[in-house]
């Protein structure tokens, strides 16, 4: 997963920040498959996890019991690939890349899941920290990973989620190095966005979360901090994937990390004040 | 339901605001059965709805799809009468009064439900506006119903909740008359408490919610506004009861309106900033 080099400019995604959500989804449907950070600026991106109906109650309860990593934005009816969050969207085709899981094992990373779809799948769309990065940037907090052209760093922690039925697993966090004078602002601004992970779960020594080496994230890219930066950790929407890995439901589909579903919702509508 | 007279002082509940949640629950377990407004000040009160496990997914999804009336604070495992929100509490005995429902019909209003309990019941504890009344009072917003010694007025609206599986029904709201100079404060303060209904859903002409006569609430007491007061409407945790009435699950238990479950949680922990 880790890419240590900066991404070269890609003409296929030039001005992707100005795309409408509709246009972004159409491009992904046509085969564009890269990360979505910064695409369709101002529009809410979401994590996807789809499980058989037999597992849907456990997943919904897992999300309710772990709202910081798993804030639910929408749940579909069984078999449906539409969502109230995006007019005309098809959840089987409109993400850049998917992951297909069998008994907790990653078996494929296709760019659509039409041939994998099942009539009993219930899809969960879960808030994503890309939304609060907009608020942090607006508030003047530098985003080191964006400055460095990288995906955010994500880590599996030693902190266990509260289990729900057959589902259990560790909390996954994203980390952003924050300059000391911006830490209070970062905490305040993200606290106003509880639907997209809310305030951080931890600041400082990564050992407290069981993270041994910030330079070796479990998902995403390593990000180089500036001197004096404090590592700040937010609960991450990859957590349901970690629960799939740990709990081994017979079948699941998720987005590929960093390749999110772009909704029609506006980021600011999730701000509580 | 409506009581048009002020309550006389009741020596059994003198200084109930100073009770601990543990003490309050013990009193209810011993038979005290009245409304809980103002009890165990600063501690979060919750609505209760318990349904058979077969209906639990529909109820949890109904709550997820209608988070303003139905903000979920905890969901128990099937058959369990304990909750992480209250150490040592017994959900079958520790509320002042319950309602027992069969096929959507109210069949009994007992002070405990030990004999009604079933091994397949899943209990939902849902945020209550009593929590945000604390914040409003702190912010200097007068609470007319408290001044008048009455239960808050609640109304069934013409606005339908988003259905979930077999569950559907209208949104229920609570109404507080707010002086014009306090409306902005009331909206801001409650907006910071999304786990307990958040900001109001509507202000002004009750006809817009299909409410014909503010003087005839569907639950609670009529409250007399001062001249110039604006009626402000918040989504209400009685909404799941209205869904039970409309959707007719074979069996359900709820709290009786105004007779809430008092948790160990502190109101301020639900404040986002």
């Amino acid at each position: 997963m880790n890419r240590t080099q900066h991404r070269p400019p890609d003409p296929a995604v030039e001005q992707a920040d100005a795309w409408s959500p509709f246009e972004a989804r159409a491009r992904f449907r046509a085969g564009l498959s890269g990360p979505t950070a910064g695409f369709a600026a101002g529009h809410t991106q979401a994590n996807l996890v789809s499980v058989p109906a037999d597992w849907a109650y456990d997943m919904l309860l897992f999300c309710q019991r772990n709202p910081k990593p798993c804030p639910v934005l929408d749940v579909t009816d069984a078999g449906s690939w539409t969502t109230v969050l995006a007019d005309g969207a098809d959840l089987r085709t409109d993400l850049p890349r998917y992951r297909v899981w069998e008994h907790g094992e990653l078996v494929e990373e296709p760019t659509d899941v039409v041939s994998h779809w099942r009539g009993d799948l219930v899809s969960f769309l879960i808030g994503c920290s890309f939304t609060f990065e907009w608020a942090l940037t607006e508030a003047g907090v530098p985003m080191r990973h964006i400055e460095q052209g990288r995906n955010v760093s994500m880590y599996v922690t030693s902190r266990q989620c509260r289990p729900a039925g057959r589902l259990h697993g560790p909390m996954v966090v994203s980390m952003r190095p924050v300059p000391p004078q911006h830490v209070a602002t970062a905490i305040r601004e993200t606290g106003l966005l509880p639907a997209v992970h809310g305030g951080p779960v931890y600041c400082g020594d990564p050992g407290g979360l069981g993270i041994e080496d910030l330079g070796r994230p479990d998902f995403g890219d390593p990000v180089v901090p500036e001197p004096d930066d404090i590592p700040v950790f937010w609960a991450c929407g990859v957590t349901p994937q970690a629960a799939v890995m740990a709990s081994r439901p017979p079948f699941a589909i998720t987005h590929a990390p960093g390749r999110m579903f772009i909704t029609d919702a506006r980021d600011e509508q999730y701000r509580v004040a």
Side-chain angles (χ1 to χ4, degrees), chain A residues 169-187:
Chain A
M171 184 166 67
V172 178
V173 294
S174 63
M175 185 281 294
R176 290 163 188 78
V178 178
Q181 69 273 27
H182 289 293
V183 169
T185 301
I187 291 173

Side-chain angles (χ1 to χ4, degrees), chain A residues 142-181:
Chain A
M143 293 285 95
R144 300 300 188 206
H145 63 291
I146 294 174
E147 292 169 0
Q148 295 169 24
R150 301 181 185 186
N151 199 348
V152 72
S153 303
M154 294 167 266
Y155 308 85
V156 176
T157 71
S158 57
R159 203 181 278 191
Q160 290 297 305
C161 289
R162 190 175 159 205
R166 295 158 289 179
L167 278 176
H168 59 91
M171 184 166 67
V172 178
V173 294
S174 63
M175 185 281 294
R176 290 163 188 78
V178 178
Q181 69 273 27

Side-chain angles (χ1 to χ4, degrees), chain A residues 12-155:
Chain A
V13 298
E14 260 177 32
Q15 300 185 309
D17 59 329
W19 291 353
S20 72
F22 185 88
E23 184 178 3
R25 294 193 298 265
R27 302 264 192 146
F28 300 138
R29 199 179 312 135
L32 186 67
S33 63
T36 55
F39 282 31
H43 293 90
T44 302
Q45 301 196 20
N47 300 274
L48 171 73
V49 56
S50 306
V51 293
D54 171 46
W55 283 71
Y57 181 70
D58 288 357
M59 182 60 76
L60 187 53
L61 188 59
F62 185 83
C63 293
Q64 193 283 323
R65 289 182 173 173
N66 300 284
K68 293 205 81 151
C70 310
V72 179
L73 304 184
D74 191 35
V75 182
T76 67
D77 291 321
S80 170
W81 49 78
T82 67
T83 166
V84 294
L85 296 176
D87 200 34
D90 185 331
L91 292 172
R92 306 169 303 171
T93 57
D94 289 6
L95 282 75
R97 193 172 286 284
Y98 298 80
R99 288 183 153 187
V100 180
W101 304 83
E102 289 179 7
H103 302 287
E105 303 290 335
L106 176 61
V107 295
E108 207 176 329
E109 283 203 290
T111 59
D112 77 68
V113 288
V114 171
S115 66
H116 302 80
W117 201 256
R118 297 167 32 156
D120 67 344
L121 285 182
V122 176
S123 295
F124 295 76
L125 293 168
I126 291 172
C128 167
S129 61
F130 289 179
T131 294
F132 71 60
E133 290 184 352
W134 152 83
L136 291 174
T137 301
E138 288 279 304
V141 179
M143 293 285 95
R144 300 300 188 206
H145 63 291
I146 294 174
E147 292 169 0
Q148 295 169 24
R150 301 181 185 186
N151 199 348
V152 72
S153 303
M154 294 167 266
Y155 308 85

Side-chain angles (χ1 to χ4, degrees), chain A residues 196-271:
Chain A
V196 290
H197 304 306
V201 293
Y202 189 89
C203 303
D205 173 24
L209 291 174
I211 299 168
E212 290 184 6
D213 183 355
L214 287 181
R216 296 170 55 88
D218 295 297
F219 308 95
D221 300 328
V223 173
V224 182
E226 297 288 311
D228 300 330
D229 277 0
I230 292 172
V232 181
F233 298 88
W234 281 267
C236 176
V238 173
T239 300
Q241 288 191 35
V244 165
M245 286 185 248
S247 313
R248 303 180 159 268
F251 186 75
I253 291 171
T254 68
H255 71 290
R259 279 80 171 168
M260 318 304 292
F261 178 63
I262 299 184
T263 77
D264 293 343
R266 307 286 312 201
D267 287 334
E268 62 263 31
Q269 80 186 58
Y270 292 108
R271 193 176 164 92

